[in-house]
Amino acid sequence: MCGIVGYIGHDNAKELLLKGLEKLEYRGYDSAGIAVVNDEGTNVFKSKGRIAELRKVADSEDIDGNVGIGHTRWATHGVPNYENSHPHQSATNRFTLVHNGVIENYEELSDAYLSNVTFLSETDTEIIVQLVEYFSDKGLSTEAAFTKVVSLLEGSYALGLIDSQDRDTMYVAKNKSPLLIGVGDGFNVIASDALAMLQVTNQYKEIHDHEIVIVKRDEVVIKDQEGNIQNREAYTAQIDAADAEKGVYDHYMLKEIHEQPAVMRRIIQEYQDDEGNLKMDADITRDVANADRIYIIAAGTSYHAGLVGKEYLEKWAGVPTEVHVASEFIYNMPLLSEKPLFIYISQSGETADSRAVLVETKKLGHKSLTITNVPGSTLSREADHTLLLHAGPEIAVASTKAYTAQIAVLSILSQIVAKEHGREADVALLRELAKVTTAIETIVDDADVMEQIATDFLETTRNAFFIGRTIDYNVSLEGALKLKEISYIQAEGFAGGELKHGTIALIEEGTPVIALATQENVNPSIRGNVKEVAARGANPCIISMDGLNKDGDTYVIPHVHELLTPLVAVVAMQLISYYAALHRDLDVDKPRNLAKSVTVE
Ligand code: M6R
């Protein structure tokens, strides 16, 4: 979703801001803009569409200024157009602001203070910058006006403000939306994500909700709500800038699919001690083992990983586990057990829906563990514990390597908790994960076969069904999500046994039905379901596992432990989806309407 960058230093801000915004493109956006302050005032460049368009507009003028802010906008209030793009300016153009989030009381604030102002946009953001000018006109300093306005805001926000009358300061605040301060020698930056400003620094300071930050070239002053100065050390962002490049691949998604064997190996290494045993922080193991029930909270692909994790936590660790969609859970909390533990699964660690649940469960005093790819992310900082995915930056909007990493980490956690509970391990997990790694390599090497499957089954279709039973059903949900989000083919995952309770009515001549058959106990029944749809004209594509395969299966994945098949089968589905989207000439990495990091509820 919206991304923010800002720079104050001695170099040309324009180029740094544009490069920063390019690094934030992966978050999803539909317009972008920058503002650079120099002797002549504040120069604003905005454009609908991609950063490449913004660059054309910005490069049409030779602007030299060394303080500025930039923004990628994912439309919430008002269509993506020039007027609604950020930065927004106050009536006299003195103040210029970028905002990520949603202001819930913007109409009330407008009625209360700004009845004489003519707004140029339909956004909830413009009100913020107009209010700063309103309070500045009342005699407040810029810092005091900004602080006053922030205190009035309800909702989520990350804000960067510049003042054309003071080229030595940026004003920053946040609530719920992510924002970091990057520190350098003679310069400082702000960024929604460290990735954006790695070009100049890997040293970052966190900002907490409701804090006000005054950023100058040589100084960063963080103040709490009462105005007390907060001392905070910078940390080193552990991101290799090269990891965030496409390298030899045409798309990030393809690169990230190919990275999965390496990610598996890294996870095996990170969660293994010198004796070759599984290892994990003892506090985490203790808190998870003490829970009488686990509640997994997540969204999208992470929710699908949670469904697989439930299998491990129940079957291996023996802990009853529920998996909930965060955006539903927050409004409809089930009866909780006496000693619950909440696991938040999130690639980005910034998903607002999951964070809303975390805030609520913390108020209730429940323990929490975040499983995330991003150290220092909001969900990681705010939970009691964190387990990292070690997957490297995931840039493509469609999540791939994070899903397999989440499942692998959940499998390790479950085995460790099983041991804590004194349950006999019936699986040598590290060895099994090593086999999984080799199996994923085989599938990635078979990319041309996956491309052919995409051609044979999905080239012209408008819809597709994914079916499976038990754990294969969980994977079919993820397979369908992957296909629909990047190819725009209407795809749904169904439990094989549910078809004849309604869905089978949709089967027509040629309807593609992708069936997973990797589970021995349901192999006869899923194959029966395939026959039922085939008898009604469907075009079935069967992905089975070696040892359970039958003549005529479309693709056979290598044999792995039965509960670990999601890690392998999904890779075939990721590649099939990738090629289906590619053949439709679609923007695989940045599908329409979607954002990588969903930071508004
Ligand atoms: O960062 P998160 O894992 O919390 O994100 C959750 C979902 O928004 C995400 O998985 C989304 O469904 C992806 N686009 C799926 O590919």
Side-chain angles (χ1 to χ4, degrees):
M1 290 204 153
C2 305
I4 288 177
V5 289
Y7 172 83
I8 181 161
H10 299 285
D11 290 334
N12 184 342
K14 186 173 91 174
E15 190 51 31
L16 289 168
L17 294 173
L18 287 170
K19 280 197 184 133
L21 291 181
E22 279 163 2
K23 295 288 177 206
L24 292 181
E25 283 196 284
Y26 78 95
R27 295 166 76 90
Y29 69 105
D30 32 47
S31 59
I34 57 169
V36 176
V37 191
N38 61 14
D39 308 349
E40 281 128 47
T42 306
N43 305 273
V44 175
F45 304 96
K46 308 203 274 193
S47 162
K48 187 181 163 192
R50 297 292 182 217
I51 305 295
E53 297 303 314
L54 173 66
R55 190 176 268 289
K56 276 186 214 154
V57 180
D59 283 348
S60 65
E61 282 182 54
D62 200 12
I63 297 295
D64 195 13
N66 44 35
V67 51
I69 48 181
H71 189 265
T72 49
R73 174 174 187 255
W74 188 85
T76 57
H77 294 61
V79 297
N81 61 15
Y82 180 89
E83 287 74 23
N84 292 332
S85 306
H86 301 213
H88 290 285
Q89 293 195 285
S90 59
T92 64
N93 292 347
R94 174 175 168 187
F95 298 104
T96 307
L97 177 102
V98 288
H99 165 221
N100 171 9
V102 174
I103 303 303
E104 285 155 12
N105 61 337
Y106 78 105
E107 284 166 333
E108 290 91 315
L109 291 173
S110 176
D111 293 345
Y113 298 99
L114 302 172
S115 47
N116 294 329
V117 172
T118 307
F119 290 97
L120 300 179
S121 76
E122 303 159 83
T123 65
D124 54 335
T125 300
E126 193 182 347
I127 179 156
I128 308 172
V129 72
Q130 300 287 11
L131 275 174
V132 174
E133 185 151 291
Y134 172 87
F135 286 110
S136 167
D137 288 348
K138 296 261 176 244
L140 268 59
S141 68
T142 303
E143 181 183 335
F146 182 67
T147 306
K148 169 76 183 166
V149 174
V150 168
S151 74
L152 295 173
L153 301 178
E154 288 170 16
S156 55
Y157 51 82
L159 303 172
L161 177 91
I162 48 177
D163 175 355
S164 63
Q165 293 182 13
D166 172 10
R167 281 182 278 136
D168 296 321
T169 317
M170 267 192 308
Y171 301 87
V172 175
K174 81 171 273 299
N175 182 41
K176 298 185 188 170
S177 300
L179 198 60
L180 298 168
I181 309 284
V183 290
D185 191 5
F187 70 89
N188 289 302
V189 298
I190 61 172
S192 300
D193 183 331
L195 206 57
M197 283 299 179
L198 270 187
Q199 48 170 326
V200 289
T201 184
N202 64 358
Q203 296 298 304
Y204 286 87
K205 288 190 185 199
E206 291 170 359
I207 318 174
H208 298 167
D209 285 355
H210 307 296
E211 288 178 336
I212 301 287
V213 191
I214 315 301
V215 185
K216 296 181 181 280
R217 284 176 183 79
D218 295 310
E219 190 183 32
V220 173
V221 179
I222 304 176
K223 294 185 181 175
D224 69 10
Q225 261 174 312
E226 283 74 44
N228 304 310
I229 293 183
Q230 307 294 301
N231 292 317
R232 195 155 307 141
E233 290 300 308
Y235 65 90
T236 304
Q238 305 284 358
I239 312 171
D240 183 344
D243 284 351
E245 300 296 331
K246 264 193 288 204
V248 297
Y249 296 94
D250 290 339
H251 295 98
Y252 283 108
M253 183 181 177
L254 189 61
K255 174 181 180 241
E256 288 157 9
I257 292 172
H258 278 253
E259 281 172 347
Q260 289 175 106
V263 173
M264 284 298 132
R265 281 193 201 98
R266 209 175 305 137
I267 289 173
I268 291 171
Q269 198 185 329
E270 292 287 339
Y271 288 98
Q272 182 175 190
D273 66 16
D274 293 342
E275 277 82 49
N277 299 314
L278 292 170
K279 76 158 188 220
M280 193 166 281
D281 187 303
D283 290 347
I284 301 181
T285 316
R286 185 204 56 227
D287 279 352
V288 181
N290 280 344
D292 63 355
R293 184 170 285 258
I294 289 173
Y295 296 83
I296 294 180
I297 309 293
T301 288
S302 297
Y303 168 75
H304 294 155
L307 294 174
V308 177
K310 169 186 162 76
E311 301 290 324
Y312 303 153
L313 286 161
E314 293 196 335
K315 294 200 165 76
W316 287 339
V319 190
T321 302
E322 296 179 18
V323 192
H324 292 272
V325 167
S327 56
E328 282 296 305
F329 190 92
I330 190 67
Y331 294 109
N332 193 13
M333 222 183 258
L335 263 184
L336 299 179
S337 66
E338 278 186 18
K339 279 197 295 172
L341 174 111
F342 283 79
I343 298 184
Y344 295 88
I345 308 180
S346 174
Q347 188 285 129
S348 62
E350 300 294 348
T351 296
D353 294 321
S354 300
R355 201 233 173 182
V357 180
L358 174 58
V359 168
E360 230 20 67
T361 58
K362 273 176 78 170
K363 277 190 208 149
L364 296 170
H366 300 316
K367 291 269 183 201
S368 50
L369 161 66
T370 289
I371 299 182
T372 184
N373 200 25
V374 184
S377 56
T378 305
L379 284 168
S380 165
R381 283 200 317 270
E382 295 184 354
D384 294 309
H385 308 290
T386 296
L387 289 175
L388 291 176
L389 299 179
H390 301 287
E394 190 181 71
I395 307 288
V397 164
S399 185
T400 53
K401 61 178 177 174
Y403 173 82
T404 43
Q406 286 161 346
I407 292 176
V409 170
L410 283 161
S411 73
I412 291 169
L413 173 69
S414 305
Q415 280 294 330
I416 288 178
V417 174
K419 194 165 168 219
E420 193 78 7
H421 282 171
R423 289 168 73 96
E424 199 64 33
D426 64 349
V427 43
L429 187 65
L430 289 172
R431 204 178 59 215
E432 294 299 335
L433 286 175
K435 277 194 217 158
V436 161
T437 306
T438 313
I440 296 176
E441 270 166 351
T442 305
I443 297 187
V444 164
D445 287 347
D446 277 347
D448 54 336
V449 180
M450 303 307 151
E451 181 162 17
Q452 191 58 49
I453 293 175
T455 307
D456 293 346
F457 292 89
L458 301 169
E459 202 72 347
T460 56
T461 190
R462 291 192 57 226
N463 58 5
F465 298 129
F466 288 72
I467 62 170
R469 283 173 170 250
T470 68
I471 209 162
D472 280 343
Y473 166 47
N474 298 332
V475 184
S476 73
L477 295 176
E478 175 58 11
L481 177 62
K482 223 57 335 155
L483 184 65
K484 72 181 126 189
E485 68 181 331
I486 58 169
S487 74
Y488 316 146
I489 295 170
Q490 188 183 358
E492 302 302 335
F494 294 104
E498 269 295 289
L499 290 177
K500 40 184 156 333
H501 298 288
T503 312
I504 205 162
L506 296 172
I507 301 294
E508 293 174 344
E509 198 59 39
T511 304
V513 176
I514 299 174
L516 279 182
T518 75
Q519 301 297 302
E520 191 170 5
N521 64 334
V522 290
N523 201 25
S525 45
I526 191 70
R527 288 178 183 279
N529 299 140
V530 170
K531 286 208 163 63
E532 289 159 7
V533 290
R536 287 159 180 86
N539 188 15
C541 164
I542 302 178
I543 298 178
S544 61
M545 181 164 74
D546 192 17
L548 299 175
N549 55 310
K550 297 213 181 303
D551 285 351
D553 287 355
T554 315
Y555 186 73
V556 181
I557 66 168
H559 191 278
V560 294
H561 186 285
E562 222 178 18
L563 286 182
L564 299 176
T565 56
L567 291 165
V568 182
V570 79
V571 180
M573 295 191 164
Q574 293 166 351
L575 281 165
I576 292 167
S577 300
Y578 170 78
Y579 287 111
L582 194 69
H583 291 184
R584 286 170 190 237
D585 216 10
L586 295 170
D587 190 344
V588 174
D589 284 336
K590 296 193 266 314
R592 70 184 179 206
N593 304 338
L594 292 179
K596 179 69 180 163
S597 186
V598 183
T599 51
V600 293
E601 284 173 49

